[in-house]
Amino acid sequence: MRVHLCGVRGSTPAPGRDFLRYGGHTSCVAVCHDDGPPRLILDAGTGLRPASALLRGEAFSGTILLTHLHWDHVHGLPFFAAGDRPDARVRVLLPEQDGSGQHGTGQDGTGQHGTGSAEAVLARGMSPPHFPITPGELRGDWSFGFSAPGEAKAEGFTVEAAEIPHKGGRTFGYRISDGHSVLAYMPDHCPTELGPGPEGWGEYHPAALALAAGADALIHDAFLLAPEVAAQARLGHAAADYAVGLGRRAGASRVVLAHHKPDRTDRDLDLLAARFAADPRVMVAAEGTVIDL
Ligand SMILES: [Zn+2]
Ligand SMILES: [Zn+2]
């Protein structure tokens, strides 16, 4: 499995000279079968726009899996050139919303039509007057559906989804396996919602531990630093220290600290990396990094 970090920023993009090395694009990770093209894309933040380059001029054929629908995870969707073309095939899966199972999931249950459908839920944020076009107006063969807790197949990967605490909208963490390697992905996670946990950084709860168990890499929310948790956990995020603690407890081989605060400069992130330099399993996510698992 090859993993490309296309966007590692949280909340808003962070352009400017202080953000060049770690990058300013918001959440997006492209997953490939070894050296093949990306087939599975995790989140559609603005990092989805540069992800097109990974297709080397070819159309995207695959699945975009959304952890949740906050702006920093969907704003790249209409700017994915490799997906917005007539020969593309794009399946978008977002977490089942409250009530989405009861109505409007379409005659074939795929979430294609109706006010509660996956497409309609996405269109609440992507349609006039908020945006010039709707999801249905993207070129190519786009389809929209819901992901549900549990195991499913997508593009030759096994995908396990579990609900994790965040803020303002249902949020999933994902565990992706190709039968050889495992990637766990939790870019937005607020474990203090479930209690302070042993260090005050949040609970090491069963869903997070199960998603990360024995993973070859855990890409996790590191929006906060430990001293910021008490005052800022209300924003819905985790501390880098919690991410490392979760990786250790779950036996993950590598912890990738991601979803950086938009005002966290390259220098700040160098300092974060230095704090964990003694643990070779910990790395601070930088846009453009390729991780082979
Ligand atoms: Zn986010
Ligand atoms: Zn979020």
Side-chain angles (χ1 to χ4, degrees):
M1 187 190 301
R2 178 165 289 175
V3 177
H4 295 262
L5 305 182
C6 301
V8 300
R9 205 51 75 166
S11 298
T12 79
R17 69 174 68 172
D18 291 334
F19 307 94
L20 293 176
R21 284 187 291 110
Y22 289 91
H25 279 299
T26 61
S27 299
C28 183
V29 170
V31 184
C32 317
H33 290 287
D34 299 326
D35 55 359
R39 291 286 181 212
L40 193 60
I41 291 181
L42 308 175
D43 281 331
T46 64
L48 184 57
R49 193 171 60 75
S52 281
L54 301 174
L55 275 298
R56 299 175 188 279
E58 299 293 315
F60 179 68
S61 176
T63 296
I64 298 175
L65 201 53
L66 303 178
T67 56
H68 63 309
L69 299 173
H70 291 167
W71 289 347
D72 52 324
H73 298 257
V74 299
H75 265 178
L77 208 56
F79 300 103
F80 182 33
D84 182 22
R85 49 187 268 181
D87 52 350
R89 175 189 64 84
V90 188
R91 176 94 173 130
V92 182
L93 297 175
L94 47 131
E96 265 180 345
Q97 303 296 300
D98 287 343
S100 60
Q102 281 84 54
H103 61 87
T105 50
Q107 292 177 334
D108 57 1
T110 59
Q112 291 275 15
H113 305 290
T115 53
S117 72
E119 184 176 342
V121 172
L122 262 182
R124 283 189 222 156
M126 181 182 161
S127 61
H130 306 286
F131 194 74
I133 63 166
T134 66
E137 290 177 273
L138 291 163
R139 289 164 293 184
D141 174 18
W142 285 68
S143 60
F144 305 89
F146 291 115
S147 59
E151 203 173 285
K153 301 283 184 192
E155 313 298 339
F157 295 98
T158 301
V159 176
E160 193 180 321
E163 187 163 356
I164 56 172
H166 181 35
K167 184 186 182 181
R170 198 175 190 202
T171 299
F172 285 177
Y174 291 111
R175 177 182 173 89
I176 313 295
S177 172
D178 63 355
H180 172 72
S181 308
V182 171
L183 170 67
Y185 182 65
M186 285 178 257
D188 293 52
H189 181 198
C190 187
T192 48
E193 284 281 313
L194 301 178
E199 305 100 342
W201 308 330
E203 282 295 338
Y204 297 100
H205 58 92
L209 287 165
L211 288 170
D216 296 281
L218 163 64
I219 300 176
H220 194 280
D221 191 341
F223 194 79
L224 301 176
L225 306 177
E228 297 172 335
V229 170
Q232 298 182 42
R234 61 180 176 76
L235 298 172
H237 292 290
D241 314 74
Y242 173 90
V244 173
L246 176 64
R248 286 181 185 146
R249 282 172 171 77
S253 305
R254 190 186 311 220
V255 177
V256 183
L257 303 175
H259 201 273
H260 308 309
K261 224 182 212 185
D263 58 2
R264 204 83 78 198
T265 62
D266 287 341
R267 186 176 145 69
D268 293 333
L269 292 172
D270 283 343
L271 292 173
L272 179 64
R275 269 186 53 212
F276 293 107
D279 187 340
R281 290 172 297 186
V282 179
M283 64 180 279
V284 177
E287 190 177 310
T289 299
V290 182
I291 304 171
D292 283 317
L293 301 178

